[in-house]
Amino acid sequence: MKVLIAGAGNMGSTYGASFINANAIRREELCFLDRGTGKAGRLASLSAHPLHTQPGEFVSDFGLIILSVKPQDFPTLAASLKPFIQPGHLILSIMAGVTMKRIAEELGAGKIVRAMPNLPSQVGQGMTVFTASDQVSIKEIFFIQNLLSTTGKTLYTEQESMLDAATAISGSGPAFVYFFMEAMMEAGRQMGFAESETQLLVHQTFLGAVDLLHRNTLSSSEWISRVASKGGTTEAALKIFAQNDLKNRIVEGLEAARARAVELSQ
């Protein structure tokens, strides 16, 4: 299936590069649609087609259309793209907060897949949760999953509402990881480490902890128990976290993120 990516920003170009580098599709099967002509040079290595700045009859040549524009730019894109949408077109949206119902109404399309990728998709370590409308076949779902998997891991859900939860957990999640890392680096600076030293300590600690978790069958709770010996240093910190009910505060924060995602999609 030939692929047209509408929106050649960070995520659009990331998807294109991932598809090509993984040999999921060929350069002859990929095309970009973007209002900015300044991107044509860097996209030339990904696509054998010229960069299009406006939709046209060429849209009918592509079976899959990926919507990777900002949500606020979708109405303008939809208005120009709708005249060229055909019943057989498969639409994949990675726009945050834009429901499948709205996409169907504004594009006049029926076969819609909606996905929520996260920032690490840019380096092939992403987490993408996706869902599909009833008109999308199993074969098409597998095709989409193969494409999305070129940027990392994928998870399919039958309920579109779960994308709001995914937004809170995996979509916003990298920011929460960086927030905790910043707190640890601040502690390191206060304890006397130089900036470069505290960055090395914290970055490698996170990399090593996640890799260790992936390479073994123990759960995160079990690893905590292994690190936190009774009466030791780790236990001292965990007691402070517990006294401040840190775990529940984090859960409340994630729920607030989910509620905001629901609000933005309405």
Side-chain angles (χ1 to χ4, degrees), residues 162-199:
M162 292 305 297
L163 265 66
D164 296 321
T167 298
I169 301 297
S170 57
S172 299
F176 309 145
V177 173
Y178 303 143
F179 182 85
F180 199 87
M181 292 177 73
E182 280 294 323
M184 289 181 65
M185 285 189 286
E186 177 59 29
R189 288 188 287 266
Q190 291 182 15
M191 292 176 187
F193 286 109
E195 182 65 29
S196 60
E197 293 172 333
T198 191
Q199 284 188 13

PDB file of all heavy atoms in Angstrom, residues 162-199:
ATOM      1  N   MET A 162      -9.452   4.572  25.507  1.00  0.00           N
ATOM      2  CA  MET A 162      -8.183   4.182  26.118  1.00  0.00           C
ATOM      3  C   MET A 162      -7.008   5.002  25.588  1.00  0.00           C
ATOM      4  O   MET A 162      -5.938   5.023  26.193  1.00  0.00           O
ATOM      5  CB  MET A 162      -7.924   2.689  25.899  1.00  0.00           C
ATOM      6  CG  MET A 162      -8.880   1.780  26.660  1.00  0.00           C
ATOM      7  SD  MET A 162      -8.901   2.111  28.436  1.00  0.00           S
ATOM      8  CE  MET A 162      -7.213   1.709  28.899  1.00  0.00           C
ATOM      9  N   LEU A 163      -7.206   5.692  24.460  1.00  0.00           N
ATOM     10  CA  LEU A 163      -6.142   6.556  23.963  1.00  0.00           C
ATOM     11  C   LEU A 163      -5.924   7.754  24.886  1.00  0.00           C
ATOM     12  O   LEU A 163      -4.816   8.289  24.957  1.00  0.00           O
ATOM     13  CB  LEU A 163      -6.445   7.029  22.535  1.00  0.00           C
ATOM     14  CG  LEU A 163      -5.799   6.182  21.432  1.00  0.00           C
ATOM     15  CD1 LEU A 163      -6.381   4.782  21.427  1.00  0.00           C
ATOM     16  CD2 LEU A 163      -5.992   6.834  20.067  1.00  0.00           C
ATOM     17  N   ASP A 164      -6.985   8.163  25.604  1.00  0.00           N
ATOM     18  CA  ASP A 164      -6.821   9.240  26.577  1.00  0.00           C
ATOM     19  C   ASP A 164      -5.950   8.767  27.738  1.00  0.00           C
ATOM     20  O   ASP A 164      -5.108   9.517  28.244  1.00  0.00           O
ATOM     21  CB  ASP A 164      -8.185   9.702  27.100  1.00  0.00           C
ATOM     22  CG  ASP A 164      -9.047  10.325  26.014  1.00  0.00           C
ATOM     23  OD1 ASP A 164      -8.486  11.058  25.178  1.00  0.00           O
ATOM     24  OD2 ASP A 164     -10.261  10.068  25.996  1.00  0.00           O
ATOM     25  N   ALA A 165      -6.145   7.518  28.156  1.00  0.00           N
ATOM     26  CA  ALA A 165      -5.304   6.943  29.204  1.00  0.00           C
ATOM     27  C   ALA A 165      -3.871   6.776  28.715  1.00  0.00           C
ATOM     28  O   ALA A 165      -2.905   7.026  29.454  1.00  0.00           O
ATOM     29  CB  ALA A 165      -5.874   5.600  29.663  1.00  0.00           C
ATOM     30  N   ALA A 166      -3.725   6.364  27.453  1.00  0.00           N
ATOM     31  CA  ALA A 166      -2.385   6.213  26.879  1.00  0.00           C
ATOM     32  C   ALA A 166      -1.669   7.556  26.794  1.00  0.00           C
ATOM     33  O   ALA A 166      -0.453   7.640  26.983  1.00  0.00           O
ATOM     34  CB  ALA A 166      -2.475   5.582  25.497  1.00  0.00           C
ATOM     35  N   THR A 167      -2.433   8.610  26.524  1.00  0.00           N
ATOM     36  CA  THR A 167      -1.850   9.951  26.489  1.00  0.00           C
ATOM     37  C   THR A 167      -1.220  10.288  27.830  1.00  0.00           C
ATOM     38  O   THR A 167      -0.116  10.842  27.896  1.00  0.00           O
ATOM     39  CB  THR A 167      -2.929  10.996  26.148  1.00  0.00           C
ATOM     40  OG1 THR A 167      -3.451  10.710  24.850  1.00  0.00           O
ATOM     41  CG2 THR A 167      -2.353  12.403  26.158  1.00  0.00           C
ATOM     42  N   ALA A 168      -1.911   9.935  28.919  1.00  0.00           N
ATOM     43  CA  ALA A 168      -1.407  10.218  30.260  1.00  0.00           C
ATOM     44  C   ALA A 168      -0.198   9.362  30.617  1.00  0.00           C
ATOM     45  O   ALA A 168       0.772   9.856  31.208  1.00  0.00           O
ATOM     46  CB  ALA A 168      -2.516  10.009  31.290  1.00  0.00           C
ATOM     47  N   ILE A 169      -0.238   8.082  30.252  1.00  0.00           N
ATOM     48  CA  ILE A 169       0.817   7.160  30.676  1.00  0.00           C
ATOM     49  C   ILE A 169       2.039   7.220  29.767  1.00  0.00           C
ATOM     50  O   ILE A 169       3.160   7.504  30.215  1.00  0.00           O
ATOM     51  CB  ILE A 169       0.286   5.713  30.732  1.00  0.00           C
ATOM     52  CG1 ILE A 169      -0.901   5.602  31.697  1.00  0.00           C
ATOM     53  CG2 ILE A 169       1.405   4.755  31.144  1.00  0.00           C
ATOM     54  CD1 ILE A 169      -0.561   5.927  33.135  1.00  0.00           C
ATOM     55  N   SER A 170       1.847   6.926  28.489  1.00  0.00           N
ATOM     56  CA  SER A 170       3.005   6.861  27.587  1.00  0.00           C
ATOM     57  C   SER A 170       3.226   8.147  26.801  1.00  0.00           C
ATOM     58  O   SER A 170       4.361   8.488  26.477  1.00  0.00           O
ATOM     59  CB  SER A 170       2.857   5.684  26.618  1.00  0.00           C
ATOM     60  OG  SER A 170       1.652   5.789  25.870  1.00  0.00           O
ATOM     61  N   GLY A 171       2.141   8.874  26.481  1.00  0.00           N
ATOM     62  CA  GLY A 171       2.296  10.110  25.728  1.00  0.00           C
ATOM     63  C   GLY A 171       2.990  11.196  26.538  1.00  0.00           C
ATOM     64  O   GLY A 171       4.001  11.767  26.125  1.00  0.00           O
ATOM     65  N   SER A 172       2.449  11.477  27.724  1.00  0.00           N
ATOM     66  CA  SER A 172       3.058  12.469  28.613  1.00  0.00           C
ATOM     67  C   SER A 172       4.176  11.874  29.453  1.00  0.00           C
ATOM     68  O   SER A 172       4.996  12.606  30.016  1.00  0.00           O
ATOM     69  CB  SER A 172       1.991  13.054  29.550  1.00  0.00           C
ATOM     70  OG  SER A 172       0.964  13.702  28.832  1.00  0.00           O
ATOM     71  N   GLY A 173       4.203  10.560  29.552  1.00  0.00           N
ATOM     72  CA  GLY A 173       5.125   9.861  30.438  1.00  0.00           C
ATOM     73  C   GLY A 173       6.590  10.271  30.364  1.00  0.00           C
ATOM     74  O   GLY A 173       7.234  10.418  31.414  1.00  0.00           O
ATOM     75  N   PRO A 174       7.164  10.453  29.164  1.00  0.00           N
ATOM     76  CA  PRO A 174       8.573  10.853  29.125  1.00  0.00           C
ATOM     77  C   PRO A 174       8.860  12.122  29.917  1.00  0.00           C
ATOM     78  O   PRO A 174       9.909  12.219  30.566  1.00  0.00           O
ATOM     79  CB  PRO A 174       8.821  11.061  27.623  1.00  0.00           C
ATOM     80  CG  PRO A 174       7.894  10.086  26.971  1.00  0.00           C
ATOM     81  CD  PRO A 174       6.645  10.137  27.813  1.00  0.00           C
ATOM     82  N   ALA A 175       7.922  13.076  29.923  1.00  0.00           N
ATOM     83  CA  ALA A 175       8.132  14.309  30.692  1.00  0.00           C
ATOM     84  C   ALA A 175       8.216  14.015  32.188  1.00  0.00           C
ATOM     85  O   ALA A 175       8.979  14.655  32.917  1.00  0.00           O
ATOM     86  CB  ALA A 175       7.010  15.304  30.410  1.00  0.00           C
ATOM     87  N   PHE A 176       7.422  13.032  32.646  1.00  0.00           N
ATOM     88  CA  PHE A 176       7.441  12.688  34.065  1.00  0.00           C
ATOM     89  C   PHE A 176       8.758  12.002  34.436  1.00  0.00           C
ATOM     90  O   PHE A 176       9.295  12.202  35.536  1.00  0.00           O
ATOM     91  CB  PHE A 176       6.250  11.794  34.414  1.00  0.00           C
ATOM     92  CG  PHE A 176       4.919  12.344  33.953  1.00  0.00           C
ATOM     93  CD1 PHE A 176       3.911  11.495  33.515  1.00  0.00           C
ATOM     94  CD2 PHE A 176       4.687  13.715  33.932  1.00  0.00           C
ATOM     95  CE1 PHE A 176       2.700  12.003  33.087  1.00  0.00           C
ATOM     96  CE2 PHE A 176       3.478  14.234  33.502  1.00  0.00           C
ATOM     97  CZ  PHE A 176       2.482  13.374  33.068  1.00  0.00           C
ATOM     98  N   VAL A 177       9.264  11.184  33.528  1.00  0.00           N
ATOM     99  CA  VAL A 177      10.571  10.566  33.746  1.00  0.00           C
ATOM    100  C   VAL A 177      11.649  11.639  33.852  1.00  0.00           C
ATOM    101  O   VAL A 177      12.491  11.624  34.766  1.00  0.00           O
ATOM    102  CB  VAL A 177      10.907   9.575  32.622  1.00  0.00           C
ATOM    103  CG1 VAL A 177      12.341   9.055  32.765  1.00  0.00           C
ATOM    104  CG2 VAL A 177       9.920   8.410  32.621  1.00  0.00           C
ATOM    105  N   TYR A 178      11.619  12.603  32.919  1.00  0.00           N
ATOM    106  CA  TYR A 178      12.609  13.683  32.952  1.00  0.00           C
ATOM    107  C   TYR A 178      12.466  14.531  34.213  1.00  0.00           C
ATOM    108  O   TYR A 178      13.459  15.042  34.749  1.00  0.00           O
ATOM    109  CB  TYR A 178      12.466  14.566  31.708  1.00  0.00           C
ATOM    110  CG  TYR A 178      12.604  13.815  30.398  1.00  0.00           C
ATOM    111  CD1 TYR A 178      11.820  14.170  29.297  1.00  0.00           C
ATOM    112  CD2 TYR A 178      13.493  12.766  30.258  1.00  0.00           C
ATOM    113  CE1 TYR A 178      11.932  13.487  28.100  1.00  0.00           C
ATOM    114  CE2 TYR A 178      13.613  12.077  29.064  1.00  0.00           C
ATOM    115  CZ  TYR A 178      12.826  12.443  27.983  1.00  0.00           C
ATOM    116  OH  TYR A 178      12.931  11.764  26.806  1.00  0.00           O
ATOM    117  N   PHE A 179      11.228  14.693  34.695  1.00  0.00           N
ATOM    118  CA  PHE A 179      10.970  15.460  35.916  1.00  0.00           C
ATOM    119  C   PHE A 179      11.673  14.791  37.106  1.00  0.00           C
ATOM    120  O   PHE A 179      12.339  15.468  37.916  1.00  0.00           O
ATOM    121  CB  PHE A 179       9.463  15.544  36.169  1.00  0.00           C
ATOM    122  CG  PHE A 179       9.075  16.352  37.378  1.00  0.00           C
ATOM    123  CD1 PHE A 179       8.938  17.730  37.308  1.00  0.00           C
ATOM    124  CD2 PHE A 179       8.847  15.722  38.596  1.00  0.00           C
ATOM    125  CE1 PHE A 179       8.575  18.478  38.425  1.00  0.00           C
ATOM    126  CE2 PHE A 179       8.487  16.461  39.722  1.00  0.00           C
ATOM    127  CZ  PHE A 179       8.349  17.833  39.638  1.00  0.00           C
ATOM    128  N   PHE A 180      11.543  13.475  37.209  1.00  0.00           N
ATOM    129  CA  PHE A 180      12.186  12.751  38.303  1.00  0.00           C
ATOM    130  C   PHE A 180      13.705  12.800  38.149  1.00  0.00           C
ATOM    131  O   PHE A 180      14.442  12.926  39.138  1.00  0.00           O
ATOM    132  CB  PHE A 180      11.695  11.301  38.347  1.00  0.00           C
ATOM    133  CG  PHE A 180      11.932  10.620  39.663  1.00  0.00           C
ATOM    134  CD1 PHE A 180      11.012  10.717  40.688  1.00  0.00           C
ATOM    135  CD2 PHE A 180      13.094   9.878  39.878  1.00  0.00           C
ATOM    136  CE1 PHE A 180      11.244  10.100  41.916  1.00  0.00           C
ATOM    137  CE2 PHE A 180      13.329   9.253  41.095  1.00  0.00           C
ATOM    138  CZ  PHE A 180      12.395   9.367  42.119  1.00  0.00           C
ATOM    139  N   MET A 181      14.177  12.711  36.919  1.00  0.00           N
ATOM    140  CA  MET A 181      15.617  12.806  36.685  1.00  0.00           C
ATOM    141  C   MET A 181      16.148  14.173  37.106  1.00  0.00           C
ATOM    142  O   MET A 181      17.231  14.268  37.701  1.00  0.00           O
ATOM    143  CB  MET A 181      15.921  12.554  35.199  1.00  0.00           C
ATOM    144  CG  MET A 181      15.668  11.127  34.744  1.00  0.00           C
ATOM    145  SD  MET A 181      15.954  10.888  32.960  1.00  0.00           S
ATOM    146  CE  MET A 181      17.744  10.971  32.897  1.00  0.00           C
ATOM    147  N   GLU A 182      15.382  15.229  36.797  1.00  0.00           N
ATOM    148  CA  GLU A 182      15.789  16.575  37.192  1.00  0.00           C
ATOM    149  C   GLU A 182      15.883  16.698  38.706  1.00  0.00           C
ATOM    150  O   GLU A 182      16.802  17.336  39.234  1.00  0.00           O
ATOM    151  CB  GLU A 182      14.801  17.607  36.641  1.00  0.00           C
ATOM    152  CG  GLU A 182      15.015  17.972  35.183  1.00  0.00           C
ATOM    153  CD  GLU A 182      16.323  18.704  34.965  1.00  0.00           C
ATOM    154  OE1 GLU A 182      16.712  19.516  35.829  1.00  0.00           O
ATOM    155  OE2 GLU A 182      16.970  18.451  33.929  1.00  0.00           O
ATOM    156  N   ALA A 183      14.927  16.076  39.419  1.00  0.00           N
ATOM    157  CA  ALA A 183      14.957  16.117  40.878  1.00  0.00           C
ATOM    158  C   ALA A 183      16.205  15.409  41.415  1.00  0.00           C
ATOM    159  O   ALA A 183      16.860  15.889  42.350  1.00  0.00           O
ATOM    160  CB  ALA A 183      13.696  15.466  41.445  1.00  0.00           C
ATOM    161  N   MET A 184      16.538  14.270  40.821  1.00  0.00           N
ATOM    162  CA  MET A 184      17.728  13.541  41.252  1.00  0.00           C
ATOM    163  C   MET A 184      19.001  14.327  40.944  1.00  0.00           C
ATOM    164  O   MET A 184      19.951  14.336  41.741  1.00  0.00           O
ATOM    165  CB  MET A 184      17.776  12.166  40.586  1.00  0.00           C
ATOM    166  CG  MET A 184      16.721  11.199  41.107  1.00  0.00           C
ATOM    167  SD  MET A 184      16.805   9.553  40.328  1.00  0.00           S
ATOM    168  CE  MET A 184      18.409   8.974  40.893  1.00  0.00           C
ATOM    169  N   MET A 185      19.034  15.015  39.786  1.00  0.00           N
ATOM    170  CA  MET A 185      20.214  15.802  39.444  1.00  0.00           C
ATOM    171  C   MET A 185      20.348  17.017  40.357  1.00  0.00           C
ATOM    172  O   MET A 185      21.461  17.405  40.726  1.00  0.00           O
ATOM    173  CB  MET A 185      20.164  16.218  37.971  1.00  0.00           C
ATOM    174  CG  MET A 185      20.480  15.065  37.027  1.00  0.00           C
ATOM    175  SD  MET A 185      20.697  15.537  35.299  1.00  0.00           S
ATOM    176  CE  MET A 185      19.006  15.861  34.819  1.00  0.00           C
ATOM    177  N   GLU A 186      19.219  17.594  40.758  1.00  0.00           N
ATOM    178  CA  GLU A 186      19.274  18.702  41.709  1.00  0.00           C
ATOM    179  C   GLU A 186      19.853  18.235  43.042  1.00  0.00           C
ATOM    180  O   GLU A 186      20.662  18.935  43.670  1.00  0.00           O
ATOM    181  CB  GLU A 186      17.872  19.285  41.916  1.00  0.00           C
ATOM    182  CG  GLU A 186      17.795  20.410  42.941  1.00  0.00           C
ATOM    183  CD  GLU A 186      18.684  21.602  42.595  1.00  0.00           C
ATOM    184  OE1 GLU A 186      18.926  21.846  41.395  1.00  0.00           O
ATOM    185  OE2 GLU A 186      19.144  22.278  43.538  1.00  0.00           O
ATOM    186  N   ALA A 187      19.431  17.034  43.472  1.00  0.00           N
ATOM    187  CA  ALA A 187      19.988  16.469  44.703  1.00  0.00           C
ATOM    188  C   ALA A 187      21.488  16.248  44.559  1.00  0.00           C
ATOM    189  O   ALA A 187      22.266  16.532  45.486  1.00  0.00           O
ATOM    190  CB  ALA A 187      19.295  15.156  45.037  1.00  0.00           C
ATOM    191  N   GLY A 188      21.906  15.765  43.388  1.00  0.00           N
ATOM    192  CA  GLY A 188      23.329  15.540  43.153  1.00  0.00           C
ATOM    193  C   GLY A 188      24.134  16.823  43.225  1.00  0.00           C
ATOM    194  O   GLY A 188      25.234  16.852  43.796  1.00  0.00           O
ATOM    195  N   ARG A 189      23.586  17.906  42.652  1.00  0.00           N
ATOM    196  CA  ARG A 189      24.276  19.199  42.698  1.00  0.00           C
ATOM    197  C   ARG A 189      24.397  19.688  44.141  1.00  0.00           C
ATOM    198  O   ARG A 189      25.444  20.216  44.546  1.00  0.00           O
ATOM    199  CB  ARG A 189      23.538  20.210  41.831  1.00  0.00           C
ATOM    200  CG  ARG A 189      23.675  19.967  40.331  1.00  0.00           C
ATOM    201  CD  ARG A 189      23.086  21.093  39.507  1.00  0.00           C
ATOM    202  NE  ARG A 189      21.631  21.083  39.527  1.00  0.00           N
ATOM    203  CZ  ARG A 189      20.881  20.473  38.598  1.00  0.00           C
ATOM    204  NH1 ARG A 189      21.469  19.831  37.599  1.00  0.00           N
ATOM    205  NH2 ARG A 189      19.571  20.520  38.658  1.00  0.00           N
ATOM    206  N   GLN A 190      23.308  19.515  44.896  1.00  0.00           N
ATOM    207  CA  GLN A 190      23.327  19.956  46.288  1.00  0.00           C
ATOM    208  C   GLN A 190      24.301  19.149  47.134  1.00  0.00           C
ATOM    209  O   GLN A 190      24.834  19.639  48.135  1.00  0.00           O
ATOM    210  CB  GLN A 190      21.921  19.866  46.891  1.00  0.00           C
ATOM    211  CG  GLN A 190      20.932  20.862  46.316  1.00  0.00           C
ATOM    212  CD  GLN A 190      19.563  20.780  46.962  1.00  0.00           C
ATOM    213  OE1 GLN A 190      19.390  20.185  48.022  1.00  0.00           O
ATOM    214  NE2 GLN A 190      18.566  21.401  46.331  1.00  0.00           N
ATOM    215  N   MET A 191      24.549  17.905  46.717  1.00  0.00           N
ATOM    216  CA  MET A 191      25.479  17.048  47.453  1.00  0.00           C
ATOM    217  C   MET A 191      26.927  17.275  47.050  1.00  0.00           C
ATOM    218  O   MET A 191      27.839  16.658  47.617  1.00  0.00           O
ATOM    219  CB  MET A 191      25.100  15.580  47.231  1.00  0.00           C
ATOM    220  CG  MET A 191      23.782  15.189  47.868  1.00  0.00           C
ATOM    221  SD  MET A 191      23.321  13.466  47.462  1.00  0.00           S
ATOM    222  CE  MET A 191      21.658  13.385  48.164  1.00  0.00           C
ATOM    223  N   GLY A 192      27.166  18.135  46.054  1.00  0.00           N
ATOM    224  CA  GLY A 192      28.523  18.512  45.715  1.00  0.00           C
ATOM    225  C   GLY A 192      29.064  18.032  44.384  1.00  0.00           C
ATOM    226  O   GLY A 192      30.202  18.341  44.026  1.00  0.00           O
ATOM    227  N   PHE A 193      28.264  17.278  43.616  1.00  0.00           N
ATOM    228  CA  PHE A 193      28.735  16.839  42.309  1.00  0.00           C
ATOM    229  C   PHE A 193      28.688  17.982  41.296  1.00  0.00           C
ATOM    230  O   PHE A 193      27.795  18.845  41.352  1.00  0.00           O
ATOM    231  CB  PHE A 193      27.887  15.681  41.778  1.00  0.00           C
ATOM    232  CG  PHE A 193      28.138  14.370  42.451  1.00  0.00           C
ATOM    233  CD1 PHE A 193      27.192  13.811  43.294  1.00  0.00           C
ATOM    234  CD2 PHE A 193      29.336  13.682  42.260  1.00  0.00           C
ATOM    235  CE1 PHE A 193      27.420  12.604  43.933  1.00  0.00           C
ATOM    236  CE2 PHE A 193      29.578  12.475  42.889  1.00  0.00           C
ATOM    237  CZ  PHE A 193      28.613  11.937  43.733  1.00  0.00           C
ATOM    238  N   ALA A 194      29.627  17.985  40.355  1.00  0.00           N
ATOM    239  CA  ALA A 194      29.595  18.951  39.252  1.00  0.00           C
ATOM    240  C   ALA A 194      28.441  18.600  38.318  1.00  0.00           C
ATOM    241  O   ALA A 194      27.918  17.486  38.342  1.00  0.00           O
ATOM    242  CB  ALA A 194      30.914  18.911  38.492  1.00  0.00           C
ATOM    243  N   GLU A 195      28.048  19.564  37.472  1.00  0.00           N
ATOM    244  CA  GLU A 195      26.908  19.353  36.573  1.00  0.00           C
ATOM    245  C   GLU A 195      27.111  18.137  35.686  1.00  0.00           C
ATOM    246  O   GLU A 195      26.217  17.302  35.539  1.00  0.00           O
ATOM    247  CB  GLU A 195      26.685  20.597  35.708  1.00  0.00           C
ATOM    248  CG  GLU A 195      25.493  20.516  34.776  1.00  0.00           C
ATOM    249  CD  GLU A 195      24.169  20.446  35.518  1.00  0.00           C
ATOM    250  OE1 GLU A 195      24.076  20.975  36.641  1.00  0.00           O
ATOM    251  OE2 GLU A 195      23.217  19.843  34.975  1.00  0.00           O
ATOM    252  N   SER A 196      28.291  18.023  35.093  1.00  0.00           N
ATOM    253  CA  SER A 196      28.551  16.884  34.209  1.00  0.00           C
ATOM    254  C   SER A 196      28.540  15.573  34.977  1.00  0.00           C
ATOM    255  O   SER A 196      28.095  14.541  34.462  1.00  0.00           O
ATOM    256  CB  SER A 196      29.902  17.063  33.515  1.00  0.00           C
ATOM    257  OG  SER A 196      30.961  17.154  34.456  1.00  0.00           O
ATOM    258  N   GLU A 197      29.008  15.606  36.202  1.00  0.00           N
ATOM    259  CA  GLU A 197      29.039  14.397  37.017  1.00  0.00           C
ATOM    260  C   GLU A 197      27.642  13.937  37.414  1.00  0.00           C
ATOM    261  O   GLU A 197      27.326  12.738  37.341  1.00  0.00           O
ATOM    262  CB  GLU A 197      29.884  14.646  38.276  1.00  0.00           C
ATOM    263  CG  GLU A 197      31.363  14.862  37.987  1.00  0.00           C
ATOM    264  CD  GLU A 197      32.139  15.301  39.210  1.00  0.00           C
ATOM    265  OE1 GLU A 197      31.525  15.928  40.116  1.00  0.00           O
ATOM    266  OE2 GLU A 197      33.352  15.031  39.273  1.00  0.00           O
ATOM    267  N   THR A 198      26.789  14.875  37.823  1.00  0.00           N
ATOM    268  CA  THR A 198      25.437  14.494  38.244  1.00  0.00           C
ATOM    269  C   THR A 198      24.612  14.021  37.054  1.00  0.00           C
ATOM    270  O   THR A 198      23.789  13.109  37.176  1.00  0.00           O
ATOM    271  CB  THR A 198      24.740  15.643  38.990  1.00  0.00           C
ATOM    272  OG1 THR A 198      23.544  15.157  39.598  1.00  0.00           O
ATOM    273  CG2 THR A 198      24.382  16.786  38.068  1.00  0.00           C
ATOM    274  N   GLN A 199      24.855  14.592  35.863  1.00  0.00           N
ATOM    275  CA  GLN A 199      24.169  14.118  34.660  1.00  0.00           C
ATOM    276  C   GLN A 199      24.565  12.676  34.351  1.00  0.00           C
ATOM    277  O   GLN A 199      23.710  11.828  34.047  1.00  0.00           O
ATOM    278  CB  GLN A 199      24.489  15.021  33.476  1.00  0.00           C
ATOM    279  CG  GLN A 199      23.758  16.343  33.494  1.00  0.00           C
ATOM    280  CD  GLN A 199      23.949  17.126  32.206  1.00  0.00           C
ATOM    281  OE1 GLN A 199      24.432  16.586  31.205  1.00  0.00           O
ATOM    282  NE2 GLN A 199      23.572  18.386  32.213  1.00  0.00           N
TER     283      GLN A 199
END
